[in-house]
Amino acid sequence: MAGTISRGIKAPIVHQGDDIVKIVADAVLAQAQAEGFALHDRDVVCVTESVVARADGNYATTDDIAADVKAKLGGGTVGVVFPILSRNRFAICLRGIARGAKKVVVMLSYPSDEVGNALVDLDALDDSGVNPYSDVLEAEEFHKLFGHPKHPFTGMDYIEYYASLIREEGAEAQVVLANRPEAILNYTKQVLCCDIHSKERTARRIKAAGGETVLTLADILKEPVNGSGYNSECGLLGSNKATESTIKLFPKNAQAVANAIQAELLARTGKHVEAMVYGDGAFKDPVGKIWELADPVVSPGFTEGLSGLPKELKLKYLADNDFAGLSGEELQNAIKARIREKSAELTDKNNMVAQGTTPRRLTDLIGSLCDLTSGSGDKGTPIVLVQNYFNNYAD
């Protein structure tokens, strides 16, 4: 009778140089034996990006960031556009950026950053008469209008916090608030776009308005600097604070790890499982309004069977419409038969029976499930086994 099952699986603490593929396979099979369940074809074995990067030793220092920023942006005044408000995700990157520049102009979006961390209450913004679509506020103007609001969860005044980090690294600091990317050109033409999911658009607009050197976080540490870790696709995007002077980068070997886990478990069990490396889930907190996805993607590596979107029919629509006159076993059999022959219906995007069935990629859905299962604290379950995900009512 079971539908989808998501199991958090404990693993040893992973260190640099560990065989992450063997660790994952050993942990899954040990839990299966301990709890008396079996692996099946198309089960999904998932491992968080954090331990994949740890095993690979994909780390860098603030000095590495500084060297790359100075080499690529000239070491003068650097505009830092639309960073998220995060001690874990961005603060240490900002330290490195400041260390590689003489002055840093941080341009924050308002009333919140792109992932929903609020700088100012929406009602207060409405009452102020400020137009967030056009008005550029210096930090002093913002404080006169709104005081020193603190983040509701962390208690941080991010305007002051980011400015102090820059000054601590020996650079001059300036903070402005605006939502038009081009506004940074009033301060400098050497720009680092620090938004995550809209970075290409931001960079394109700044370049079109006259930006001279316009890079994104994906351009910093996209190759090794002084032997550092790197990520050729994501650069600093997806990085996390490791120590006060080091960051753990998004894994650069995620695809190879996913493929190797699939091959390892096939060799040891004869079952063709799917595998993926997952990061932040793609969901929004309804109270804090924070959009969880601070990584560039939910899954940086996954096996071929996880490509695409779900292909599902909406059971309640069938029950309320096509089979409204049926009940009991007759209704069940009719719905099961419709599911078995559903492929033709799903090619028609206007067919109501397939509408409202979550048009999101499988990796985003399963990765979000895994992120919620493992959490980001002390559960100690960096591996998640998802079973029965591809089963349906007719199976």
Side-chain angles (χ1 to χ4, degrees):
M1 298 294 289
T4 298
I5 299 169
S6 178
R7 302 176 185 269
I9 297 179
K10 292 184 179 179
I13 302 299
V14 175
H15 296 94
Q16 182 174 344
D18 286 349
D19 185 341
I20 191 63
V21 173
K22 185 175 185 302
I23 287 173
V24 171
D26 286 349
V28 170
L29 295 178
Q31 183 136 339
Q33 183 176 15
E35 295 192 9
F37 64 84
L39 285 184
H40 305 99
D41 290 335
R42 300 220 75 191
D43 284 351
V44 189
V45 176
C46 313
V47 56
T48 179
E49 58 83 20
S50 177
V51 296
V52 173
R54 282 175 62 86
D56 187 45
N58 205 22
Y59 290 86
T61 68
T62 47
D63 283 337
D64 299 327
I65 297 171
D68 210 21
V69 167
K70 187 173 183 178
K72 292 175 177 174
L73 288 158
T77 300
V78 175
V80 170
V81 176
F82 299 158
I84 64 172
L85 308 177
S86 173
R87 295 169 296 177
N88 174 49
R89 289 287 190 169
F90 189 72
I92 193 164
C93 294
L94 182 59
R95 282 194 181 278
I97 294 165
R99 196 172 295 183
K102 291 181 180 178
K103 179 178 179 179
V104 176
V105 181
V106 177
M107 193 169 86
L108 301 174
S109 59
Y110 70 101
S112 66
D113 68 10
E114 70 170 298
V115 295
N117 292 291
L119 269 174
V120 60
D121 180 75
L122 276 173
D123 290 332
L125 180 63
D126 291 341
D127 294 341
S128 70
V130 170
N131 183 347
Y133 296 102
S134 60
D135 293 349
V136 179
L137 303 176
E138 300 285 341
E140 295 76 12
E141 296 177 82
F142 179 88
H143 291 318
K144 286 179 183 178
L145 287 165
F146 306 111
H148 289 260
K150 292 179 170 55
H151 191 281
F153 292 161
T154 66
M156 297 295 296
D157 177 343
Y158 275 98
I159 293 176
E160 293 302 315
Y161 178 51
Y162 279 0
S164 67
L165 290 183
I166 295 166
R167 289 191 289 266
E168 286 172 14
E169 296 301 327
E172 183 183 347
Q174 185 174 5
V175 179
V176 299
L177 298 99
N179 289 311
R180 290 185 301 106
E182 302 89 341
I184 194 63
L185 297 176
N186 294 323
Y187 306 91
T188 179
K189 293 186 178 181
Q190 318 305 317
V191 180
L192 184 61
C193 303
C194 296
D195 41 351
I196 303 163
H197 306 293
S198 52
K199 59 187 181 298
E200 289 88 0
R201 178 176 181 268
T202 300
R204 184 175 66 249
R205 289 180 58 173
I206 294 171
K207 287 178 183 177
E212 293 178 357
T213 305
V214 184
L215 304 178
T216 74
L217 282 181
D219 296 310
I220 306 301
L221 292 187
K222 66 186 301 182
E223 61 278 310
V225 174
N226 300 321
S228 73
Y230 68 98
N231 189 304
S232 60
E233 294 183 1
C234 300
L236 284 179
L237 290 173
S239 62
N240 278 277
K241 180 179 180 179
T243 72
E244 294 303 320
S245 61
T246 60
I247 58 169
K248 177 198 65 59
L249 294 158
F250 214 43
K252 63 181 185 293
N253 61 335
Q255 187 59 53
V257 167
N259 290 338
I261 290 170
Q262 183 182 61
E264 177 77 6
L265 286 169
L266 178 63
R268 292 171 66 171
T269 68
K271 300 300 179 182
H272 186 87
V273 302
E274 304 296 343
M276 69 181 293
V277 177
Y278 67 94
D280 273 351
F283 49 83
K284 184 176 181 178
D285 172 54
V287 176
K289 312 301 181 187
I290 295 172
W291 176 253
E292 177 69 11
L293 188 56
D295 286 327
V297 292
V298 173
S299 176
F302 52 90
T303 51
E304 187 177 353
L306 297 178
S307 297
L309 281 67
K311 296 179 179 179
E312 301 172 346
L313 302 181
K314 204 156 190 72
L315 297 192
K316 62 184 179 183
Y317 183 84
L318 289 173
D320 288 342
N321 291 272
D322 296 37
F323 307 126
L326 305 181
S327 62
E329 186 175 352
E330 189 178 10
L331 173 60
Q332 293 179 26
N333 290 337
I335 288 180
K336 288 178 180 179
R338 188 69 168 272
I339 291 172
R340 292 189 185 105
E341 59 190 31
K342 67 183 177 182
S343 57
E345 294 180 283
L346 293 173
T347 61
D348 180 4
K349 294 182 179 180
N350 294 316
N351 193 327
M352 273 302 301
V353 77
Q355 290 186 22
T357 53
T358 314
R360 290 167 58 191
R361 294 178 298 184
L362 289 167
T363 51
D364 294 338
L365 291 163
I366 298 171
S368 298
L369 171 62
C370 292
D371 189 28
L372 288 166
T373 301
S374 63
S376 58
D378 60 6
K379 288 186 173 64
T381 57
I383 303 162
V384 177
L385 174 63
V386 179
Q387 297 187 292
N388 301 343
Y389 191 85
F390 294 100
N391 291 1
N392 61 42
Y393 188 69
D395 291 328

